[in-house]
Short mmCIF file of all heavy atoms in Angstrom, two decimals:
data_model
loop_
_atom_site.label_atom_id
_atom_site.label_comp_id
_atom_site.label_asym_id
_atom_site.label_seq_id
_atom_site.Cartn_x
_atom_site.Cartn_y
_atom_site.Cartn_z
N GLU B 71 79.96 12.45 38.79
CA GLU B 71 78.99 11.49 38.24
C GLU B 71 79.33 11.17 36.78
O GLU B 71 79.27 10.02 36.35
CB GLU B 71 77.58 12.07 38.35
CG GLU B 71 76.50 11.05 38.02
CD GLU B 71 75.08 11.61 38.14
OE1 GLU B 71 74.88 12.61 38.86
OE2 GLU B 71 74.19 11.06 37.49
N VAL B 72 79.72 12.19 36.04
CA VAL B 72 80.07 12.01 34.63
C VAL B 72 81.36 11.19 34.52
O VAL B 72 81.46 10.25 33.73
CB VAL B 72 80.23 13.39 33.95
CG1 VAL B 72 80.69 13.23 32.51
CG2 VAL B 72 78.91 14.17 34.00
N VAL B 73 82.34 11.55 35.33
CA VAL B 73 83.62 10.83 35.29
C VAL B 73 83.42 9.37 35.67
O VAL B 73 84.00 8.46 35.06
CB VAL B 73 84.65 11.50 36.22
CG1 VAL B 73 85.92 10.66 36.32
CG2 VAL B 73 84.98 12.91 35.74
N ARG B 74 82.57 9.14 36.68
CA ARG B 74 82.33 7.76 37.10
C ARG B 74 81.78 6.93 35.95
O ARG B 74 82.21 5.79 35.73
CB ARG B 74 81.34 7.73 38.28
CG ARG B 74 81.16 6.33 38.84
CD ARG B 74 80.28 6.36 40.07
NE ARG B 74 78.88 6.23 39.73
CZ ARG B 74 77.89 6.57 40.57
NH1 ARG B 74 78.15 7.09 41.76
NH2 ARG B 74 76.64 6.41 40.19
N LYS B 75 80.85 7.51 35.21
CA LYS B 75 80.28 6.77 34.07
C LYS B 75 81.35 6.48 33.03
O LYS B 75 81.44 5.36 32.51
CB LYS B 75 79.15 7.57 33.44
CG LYS B 75 77.89 7.53 34.29
CD LYS B 75 76.66 7.78 33.46
CE LYS B 75 75.43 7.33 34.21
NZ LYS B 75 74.20 7.85 33.59
N ALA B 76 82.16 7.48 32.75
CA ALA B 76 83.22 7.28 31.74
C ALA B 76 84.18 6.17 32.19
O ALA B 76 84.63 5.35 31.39
CB ALA B 76 83.97 8.59 31.51
N LEU B 77 84.48 6.14 33.47
CA LEU B 77 85.38 5.10 33.98
C LEU B 77 84.73 3.73 33.89
O LEU B 77 85.34 2.76 33.43
CB LEU B 77 85.77 5.39 35.44
CG LEU B 77 86.59 6.65 35.72
CD1 LEU B 77 86.92 6.76 37.21
CD2 LEU B 77 87.88 6.63 34.91
N LEU B 78 83.47 3.65 34.32
CA LEU B 78 82.80 2.35 34.34
C LEU B 78 82.57 1.82 32.93
O LEU B 78 82.49 0.60 32.73
CB LEU B 78 81.47 2.45 35.10
CG LEU B 78 81.64 2.65 36.62
CD1 LEU B 78 80.31 3.03 37.26
CD2 LEU B 78 82.21 1.39 37.27
N ASN B 79 82.48 2.71 31.96
CA ASN B 79 82.34 2.27 30.58
C ASN B 79 83.63 1.63 30.05
O ASN B 79 83.65 1.06 28.97
CB ASN B 79 81.94 3.44 29.67
CG ASN B 79 80.50 3.88 29.90
OD1 ASN B 79 79.71 3.11 30.44
ND2 ASN B 79 80.17 5.10 29.52
N ASN B 80 84.70 1.76 30.81
CA ASN B 80 86.00 1.25 30.34
C ASN B 80 86.66 0.23 31.26
O ASN B 80 87.40 -0.63 30.79
CB ASN B 80 86.97 2.42 30.13
CG ASN B 80 86.62 3.23 28.90
OD1 ASN B 80 86.84 2.78 27.78
ND2 ASN B 80 86.02 4.40 29.09
N LEU B 81 86.42 0.35 32.55
CA LEU B 81 87.14 -0.52 33.49
C LEU B 81 86.64 -1.96 33.41
O LEU B 81 85.45 -2.21 33.23
CB LEU B 81 86.95 -0.02 34.93
CG LEU B 81 87.70 1.25 35.30
CD1 LEU B 81 87.28 1.72 36.69
CD2 LEU B 81 89.20 1.01 35.24
N ASP B 82 87.56 -2.89 33.58
CA ASP B 82 87.16 -4.29 33.65
C ASP B 82 86.76 -4.64 35.08
O ASP B 82 87.12 -3.94 36.03
CB ASP B 82 88.31 -5.20 33.17
CG ASP B 82 89.66 -4.75 33.68
OD1 ASP B 82 89.78 -3.56 34.02
OD2 ASP B 82 90.58 -5.57 33.75
N ALA B 83 85.99 -5.72 35.21
CA ALA B 83 85.54 -6.16 36.54
C ALA B 83 86.76 -6.44 37.41
O ALA B 83 87.78 -6.92 36.93
CB ALA B 83 84.68 -7.41 36.41
N GLY B 84 86.64 -6.11 38.67
CA GLY B 84 87.72 -6.41 39.60
C GLY B 84 88.87 -5.43 39.56
O GLY B 84 89.92 -5.67 40.17
N ALA B 85 88.70 -4.32 38.86
CA ALA B 85 89.79 -3.33 38.78
C ALA B 85 90.13 -2.76 40.16
O ALA B 85 89.27 -2.66 41.03
CB ALA B 85 89.36 -2.20 37.84
N VAL B 86 91.39 -2.40 40.32
CA VAL B 86 91.83 -1.70 41.53
C VAL B 86 92.20 -0.29 41.10
O VAL B 86 93.04 -0.10 40.21
CB VAL B 86 93.04 -2.41 42.16
CG1 VAL B 86 93.60 -1.60 43.34
CG2 VAL B 86 92.65 -3.81 42.62
N VAL B 87 91.53 0.70 41.69
CA VAL B 87 91.72 2.09 41.25
C VAL B 87 92.24 2.94 42.41
O VAL B 87 91.65 2.96 43.49
CB VAL B 87 90.39 2.70 40.73
CG1 VAL B 87 90.62 4.10 40.19
CG2 VAL B 87 89.76 1.80 39.68
N LEU B 88 93.34 3.62 42.16
CA LEU B 88 93.89 4.55 43.15
C LEU B 88 93.53 5.98 42.74
O LEU B 88 93.55 6.31 41.56
CB LEU B 88 95.42 4.46 43.20
CG LEU B 88 96.08 3.10 43.42
CD1 LEU B 88 97.59 3.28 43.56
CD2 LEU B 88 95.52 2.42 44.65
N MET B 89 93.23 6.81 43.72
CA MET B 89 93.08 8.24 43.43
C MET B 89 93.39 9.05 44.68
O MET B 89 93.58 8.48 45.76
CB MET B 89 91.69 8.55 42.86
CG MET B 89 90.54 8.31 43.76
SD MET B 89 89.00 8.71 42.88
CE MET B 89 88.83 7.24 41.91
N ALA B 90 93.48 10.33 44.51
CA ALA B 90 93.85 11.20 45.63
C ALA B 90 92.64 11.42 46.54
O ALA B 90 91.51 11.54 46.07
CB ALA B 90 94.37 12.54 45.12
N HIS B 91 92.91 11.51 47.83
CA HIS B 91 91.84 11.83 48.79
C HIS B 91 91.71 13.35 48.90
O HIS B 91 92.10 13.96 49.88
CB HIS B 91 92.18 11.22 50.16
CG HIS B 91 91.08 11.37 51.17
ND1 HIS B 91 89.91 10.66 51.13
CD2 HIS B 91 90.96 12.18 52.25
CE1 HIS B 91 89.12 11.01 52.13
NE2 HIS B 91 89.75 11.94 52.83
N ASN B 92 91.21 13.93 47.83
CA ASN B 92 90.94 15.38 47.84
C ASN B 92 89.45 15.56 47.62
O ASN B 92 88.69 14.60 47.65
CB ASN B 92 91.78 16.07 46.76
CG ASN B 92 91.60 15.41 45.41
OD1 ASN B 92 90.61 14.72 45.15
ND2 ASN B 92 92.57 15.60 44.53
N THR B 93 89.01 16.79 47.39
CA THR B 93 87.55 17.00 47.33
C THR B 93 86.93 16.28 46.14
O THR B 93 85.77 15.92 46.18
CB THR B 93 87.17 18.48 47.30
OG1 THR B 93 87.67 19.07 46.09
CG2 THR B 93 87.74 19.23 48.49
N PHE B 94 87.69 16.07 45.07
CA PHE B 94 87.16 15.31 43.94
C PHE B 94 87.14 13.82 44.26
O PHE B 94 86.17 13.12 43.97
CB PHE B 94 87.97 15.58 42.66
CG PHE B 94 87.42 14.81 41.48
CD1 PHE B 94 86.22 15.17 40.91
CD2 PHE B 94 88.09 13.71 41.00
CE1 PHE B 94 85.69 14.45 39.85
CE2 PHE B 94 87.57 12.97 39.94
CZ PHE B 94 86.37 13.35 39.36
N GLY B 95 88.21 13.34 44.87
CA GLY B 95 88.27 11.93 45.26
C GLY B 95 87.13 11.57 46.21
O GLY B 95 86.52 10.50 46.09
N MET B 96 86.84 12.47 47.16
CA MET B 96 85.75 12.21 48.10
C MET B 96 84.41 12.14 47.36
O MET B 96 83.50 11.43 47.76
CB MET B 96 85.68 13.32 49.14
CG MET B 96 86.83 13.31 50.12
SD MET B 96 86.55 14.59 51.38
CE MET B 96 88.22 15.02 51.75
N ASP B 97 84.30 12.89 46.26
CA ASP B 97 83.06 12.94 45.49
C ASP B 97 82.89 11.67 44.65
O ASP B 97 81.79 11.16 44.51
CB ASP B 97 83.13 14.17 44.56
CG ASP B 97 81.79 14.87 44.41
OD1 ASP B 97 80.97 14.79 45.35
OD2 ASP B 97 81.58 15.50 43.37
N LEU B 98 83.98 11.21 44.10
CA LEU B 98 83.93 10.12 43.12
C LEU B 98 84.13 8.72 43.72
O LEU B 98 83.42 7.77 43.37
CB LEU B 98 85.01 10.34 42.05
CG LEU B 98 85.28 9.21 41.05
CD1 LEU B 98 84.05 8.97 40.18
CD2 LEU B 98 86.49 9.53 40.17
N ALA B 99 85.11 8.59 44.60
CA ALA B 99 85.62 7.26 44.96
C ALA B 99 84.60 6.32 45.63
O ALA B 99 84.50 5.15 45.23
CB ALA B 99 86.86 7.42 45.84
N PRO B 100 83.84 6.79 46.64
CA PRO B 100 82.95 5.83 47.32
C PRO B 100 81.93 5.21 46.38
O PRO B 100 81.70 4.00 46.41
CB PRO B 100 82.26 6.68 48.40
CG PRO B 100 83.16 7.86 48.61
CD PRO B 100 83.78 8.14 47.26
N GLY B 101 81.32 6.03 45.53
CA GLY B 101 80.32 5.52 44.59
C GLY B 101 80.95 4.62 43.55
O GLY B 101 80.36 3.62 43.12
N LEU B 102 82.17 4.94 43.14
CA LEU B 102 82.88 4.11 42.16
C LEU B 102 83.11 2.71 42.74
O LEU B 102 82.93 1.70 42.06
CB LEU B 102 84.20 4.77 41.78
CG LEU B 102 85.03 4.03 40.72
CD1 LEU B 102 84.30 4.00 39.38
CD2 LEU B 102 86.41 4.69 40.55
N ALA B 103 83.48 2.67 44.03
CA ALA B 103 83.72 1.37 44.68
C ALA B 103 82.45 0.53 44.67
O ALA B 103 82.49 -0.68 44.40
CB ALA B 103 84.21 1.58 46.11
N VAL B 104 81.31 1.18 44.95
CA VAL B 104 80.03 0.45 44.94
C VAL B 104 79.78 -0.10 43.55
O VAL B 104 79.43 -1.28 43.38
CB VAL B 104 78.88 1.39 45.35
CG1 VAL B 104 77.52 0.76 45.05
CG2 VAL B 104 78.99 1.74 46.83
N LYS B 105 79.99 0.72 42.53
CA LYS B 105 79.66 0.30 41.16
C LYS B 105 80.63 -0.76 40.64
O LYS B 105 80.26 -1.61 39.84
CB LYS B 105 79.64 1.51 40.22
CG LYS B 105 78.51 2.49 40.52
CD LYS B 105 77.15 1.86 40.28
CE LYS B 105 76.01 2.85 40.50
NZ LYS B 105 74.69 2.21 40.43
N ILE B 106 81.87 -0.70 41.10
CA ILE B 106 82.84 -1.75 40.72
C ILE B 106 82.49 -3.05 41.44
O ILE B 106 82.80 -4.14 40.98
CB ILE B 106 84.29 -1.30 41.07
CG1 ILE B 106 84.79 -0.27 40.07
CG2 ILE B 106 85.24 -2.48 41.12
CD1 ILE B 106 86.20 0.21 40.33
N GLY B 107 81.84 -2.89 42.61
CA GLY B 107 81.54 -4.07 43.42
C GLY B 107 82.72 -4.49 44.27
O GLY B 107 82.80 -5.61 44.75
N GLY B 108 83.65 -3.57 44.45
CA GLY B 108 84.87 -3.91 45.19
C GLY B 108 84.89 -3.27 46.57
O GLY B 108 83.91 -2.70 47.03
N ALA B 109 86.04 -3.37 47.20
CA ALA B 109 86.23 -2.81 48.53
C ALA B 109 86.59 -1.33 48.42
O ALA B 109 86.93 -0.84 47.34
CB ALA B 109 87.34 -3.56 49.26
N PHE B 110 86.52 -0.63 49.54
CA PHE B 110 86.89 0.79 49.55
C PHE B 110 87.70 1.09 50.79
O PHE B 110 87.35 0.68 51.89
CB PHE B 110 85.62 1.65 49.53
CG PHE B 110 85.93 3.13 49.55
CD1 PHE B 110 86.55 3.72 48.46
CD2 PHE B 110 85.61 3.92 50.64
CE1 PHE B 110 86.85 5.08 48.46
CE2 PHE B 110 85.89 5.28 50.65
CZ PHE B 110 86.51 5.86 49.55
N VAL B 111 88.76 1.84 50.59
CA VAL B 111 89.47 2.37 51.74
C VAL B 111 89.92 3.79 51.40
O VAL B 111 90.37 4.06 50.27
CB VAL B 111 90.66 1.46 52.17
CG1 VAL B 111 91.73 1.37 51.09
CG2 VAL B 111 91.26 1.94 53.49
N ALA B 112 89.72 4.70 52.35
CA ALA B 112 89.93 6.12 52.07
C ALA B 112 91.07 6.70 52.89
O ALA B 112 91.39 6.21 53.97
CB ALA B 112 88.65 6.90 52.39
N ASP B 113 91.65 7.75 52.36
CA ASP B 113 92.61 8.56 53.11
C ASP B 113 93.76 7.72 53.66
O ASP B 113 94.11 7.81 54.83
CB ASP B 113 91.88 9.31 54.23
CG ASP B 113 92.76 10.40 54.85
OD1 ASP B 113 93.73 10.81 54.21
OD2 ASP B 113 92.46 10.82 56.00
N VAL B 114 94.32 6.90 52.78
CA VAL B 114 95.45 6.04 53.16
C VAL B 114 96.71 6.91 53.28
O VAL B 114 97.00 7.71 52.39
CB VAL B 114 95.63 4.93 52.10
CG1 VAL B 114 96.95 4.22 52.26
CG2 VAL B 114 94.45 3.98 52.17
N VAL B 115 97.45 6.74 54.38
CA VAL B 115 98.68 7.53 54.53
C VAL B 115 99.93 6.72 54.16
O VAL B 115 100.98 7.29 53.90
CB VAL B 115 98.83 8.14 55.94
CG1 VAL B 115 97.69 9.09 56.23
CG2 VAL B 115 98.92 7.07 57.02
N ASP B 116 99.79 5.38 54.18
CA ASP B 116 100.92 4.56 53.74
C ASP B 116 100.41 3.17 53.36
O ASP B 116 99.37 2.74 53.84
CB ASP B 116 101.98 4.45 54.85
CG ASP B 116 103.36 4.09 54.29
OD1 ASP B 116 103.50 4.00 53.05
OD2 ASP B 116 104.28 3.89 55.09
N ILE B 117 101.16 2.51 52.50
CA ILE B 117 100.82 1.15 52.09
C ILE B 117 101.95 0.24 52.50
O ILE B 117 103.12 0.48 52.16
CB ILE B 117 100.58 1.09 50.56
CG1 ILE B 117 99.37 1.98 50.19
CG2 ILE B 117 100.36 -0.36 50.10
CD1 ILE B 117 99.02 1.98 48.72
N GLU B 118 101.62 -0.82 53.25
CA GLU B 118 102.66 -1.75 53.71
C GLU B 118 102.94 -2.82 52.67
O GLU B 118 104.01 -3.39 52.67
CB GLU B 118 102.22 -2.40 55.02
CG GLU B 118 102.17 -1.40 56.18
CD GLU B 118 102.18 -2.10 57.53
OE1 GLU B 118 101.48 -3.12 57.67
OE2 GLU B 118 102.88 -1.62 58.43
N GLY B 119 101.95 -3.09 51.82
CA GLY B 119 102.15 -4.10 50.78
C GLY B 119 100.88 -4.88 50.55
O GLY B 119 99.83 -4.54 51.08
N ALA B 120 101.00 -5.93 49.74
CA ALA B 120 99.85 -6.79 49.49
C ALA B 120 100.26 -8.23 49.71
O ALA B 120 101.39 -8.62 49.42
CB ALA B 120 99.34 -6.59 48.06
N ASP B 121 99.33 -8.99 50.25
CA ASP B 121 99.53 -10.41 50.48
C ASP B 121 98.45 -11.09 49.65
O ASP B 121 97.30 -11.14 50.07
CB ASP B 121 99.35 -10.66 51.99
CG ASP B 121 99.80 -12.05 52.37
OD1 ASP B 121 100.10 -12.83 51.46
OD2 ASP B 121 99.81 -12.34 53.59
N GLY B 122 98.79 -11.54 48.46
CA GLY B 122 97.76 -12.03 47.55
C GLY B 122 96.80 -10.90 47.22
O GLY B 122 97.23 -9.83 46.79
N ASP B 123 95.53 -11.11 47.50
CA ASP B 123 94.53 -10.09 47.23
C ASP B 123 94.26 -9.19 48.43
O ASP B 123 93.33 -8.40 48.41
CB ASP B 123 93.21 -10.75 46.79
CG ASP B 123 93.21 -11.05 45.30
OD1 ASP B 123 93.91 -10.34 44.56
OD2 ASP B 123 92.51 -11.99 44.89
N THR B 124 95.05 -9.37 49.48
CA THR B 124 94.83 -8.54 50.66
C THR B 124 95.82 -7.38 50.70
O THR B 124 97.03 -7.59 50.78
CB THR B 124 94.97 -9.38 51.95
OG1 THR B 124 94.06 -10.47 51.89
CG2 THR B 124 94.66 -8.53 53.18
N LEU B 125 95.28 -6.20 50.61
CA LEU B 125 96.10 -5.00 50.67
C LEU B 125 96.22 -4.56 52.12
O LEU B 125 95.25 -4.60 52.86
CB LEU B 125 95.43 -3.89 49.84
CG LEU B 125 96.13 -2.54 49.77
CD1 LEU B 125 97.43 -2.66 48.97
CD2 LEU B 125 95.21 -1.50 49.12
N LYS B 126 97.44 -4.18 52.51
CA LYS B 126 97.63 -3.73 53.90
C LYS B 126 98.03 -2.28 53.89
O LYS B 126 99.08 -1.92 53.34
CB LYS B 126 98.72 -4.57 54.57
CG LYS B 126 98.34 -6.02 54.73
CD LYS B 126 99.48 -6.75 55.38
CE LYS B 126 99.10 -8.20 55.64
NZ LYS B 126 100.25 -8.94 56.18
N VAL B 127 97.20 -1.47 54.53
CA VAL B 127 97.45 -0.02 54.50
C VAL B 127 97.46 0.54 55.91
O VAL B 127 97.04 -0.11 56.86
CB VAL B 127 96.37 0.73 53.67
CG1 VAL B 127 96.30 0.16 52.26
CG2 VAL B 127 95.01 0.68 54.36
N ILE B 128 97.95 1.77 56.00
CA ILE B 128 97.90 2.51 57.26
C ILE B 128 97.05 3.75 57.04
O ILE B 128 97.18 4.43 56.01
CB ILE B 128 99.31 2.89 57.75
CG1 ILE B 128 100.08 1.61 58.09
CG2 ILE B 128 99.24 3.82 58.96
CD1 ILE B 128 101.51 1.85 58.50
N ARG B 129 96.16 4.00 57.98
CA ARG B 129 95.39 5.23 57.93
C ARG B 129 95.25 5.79 59.35
O ARG B 129 95.80 5.22 60.28
CB ARG B 129 94.05 5.03 57.22
CG ARG B 129 93.17 3.92 57.76
CD ARG B 129 91.97 3.65 56.82
NE ARG B 129 91.29 4.89 56.44
CZ ARG B 129 90.48 5.59 57.23
NH1 ARG B 129 90.23 5.19 58.45
NH2 ARG B 129 89.92 6.71 56.80
N GLN B 130 94.56 6.89 59.46
CA GLN B 130 94.44 7.53 60.77
C GLN B 130 92.97 7.73 61.12
O GLN B 130 92.12 7.78 60.23
CB GLN B 130 95.15 8.89 60.78
CG GLN B 130 96.63 8.79 60.48
CD GLN B 130 97.31 10.14 60.45
OE1 GLN B 130 96.67 11.17 60.20
NE2 GLN B 130 98.61 10.14 60.70
N GLU B 131 92.70 7.86 62.39
CA GLU B 131 91.34 8.18 62.83
C GLU B 131 91.39 9.34 63.82
O GLU B 131 92.46 9.74 64.25
CB GLU B 131 90.68 6.95 63.49
CG GLU B 131 90.53 5.78 62.50
CD GLU B 131 89.60 4.69 62.98
OE1 GLU B 131 88.98 4.84 64.05
OE2 GLU B 131 89.50 3.68 62.27
N PHE B 132 90.24 9.84 64.14
CA PHE B 132 90.11 10.94 65.10
C PHE B 132 91.04 12.10 64.77
O PHE B 132 91.79 12.58 65.62
CB PHE B 132 90.36 10.46 66.53
CG PHE B 132 89.42 9.37 66.96
CD1 PHE B 132 89.85 8.07 67.09
CD2 PHE B 132 88.08 9.64 67.19
CE1 PHE B 132 88.99 7.05 67.46
CE2 PHE B 132 87.21 8.64 67.57
CZ PHE B 132 87.66 7.34 67.71
N GLY B 133 91.03 12.51 63.52
CA GLY B 133 91.82 13.67 63.13
C GLY B 133 93.31 13.48 63.29
O GLY B 133 94.03 14.45 63.50
N GLY B 134 93.78 12.24 63.20
CA GLY B 134 95.22 11.98 63.21
C GLY B 134 95.78 11.65 64.58
O GLY B 134 96.98 11.46 64.74
N VAL B 135 94.91 11.55 65.60
CA VAL B 135 95.40 11.27 66.95
C VAL B 135 95.93 9.84 67.05
O VAL B 135 96.91 9.58 67.74
CB VAL B 135 94.28 11.51 67.99
CG1 VAL B 135 94.76 11.19 69.39
CG2 VAL B 135 93.77 12.93 67.91
N VAL B 136 95.28 8.90 66.39
CA VAL B 136 95.74 7.51 66.38
C VAL B 136 95.80 6.98 64.95
O VAL B 136 95.05 7.42 64.09
CB VAL B 136 94.83 6.57 67.22
CG1 VAL B 136 95.06 6.77 68.70
CG2 VAL B 136 93.36 6.79 66.86
#
Side-chain angles (χ1 to χ4, degrees):
Chain B
E71 190 179 337
V72 176
V73 172
R74 185 175 89 198
K75 285 204 163 166
L77 295 181
L78 290 168
N79 288 340
N80 287 286
L81 288 173
D82 41 338
V86 174
V87 184
L88 306 185
M89 65 181 79
H91 186 72
N92 52 21
T93 64
F94 180 72
M96 290 185 211
D97 217 28
L98 171 65
L102 182 65
V104 167
K105 293 296 183 187
I106 285 180
F110 180 67
V111 63
D113 192 20
V114 167
V115 298
D116 202 3
I117 297 181
E118 292 198 318
D121 191 353
D123 275 332
T124 303
L125 180 68
K126 295 179 176 176
V127 304
I128 295 177
R129 55 190 312 285
Q130 300 178 335
E131 297 194 4
F132 301 108
V135 179
V136 284

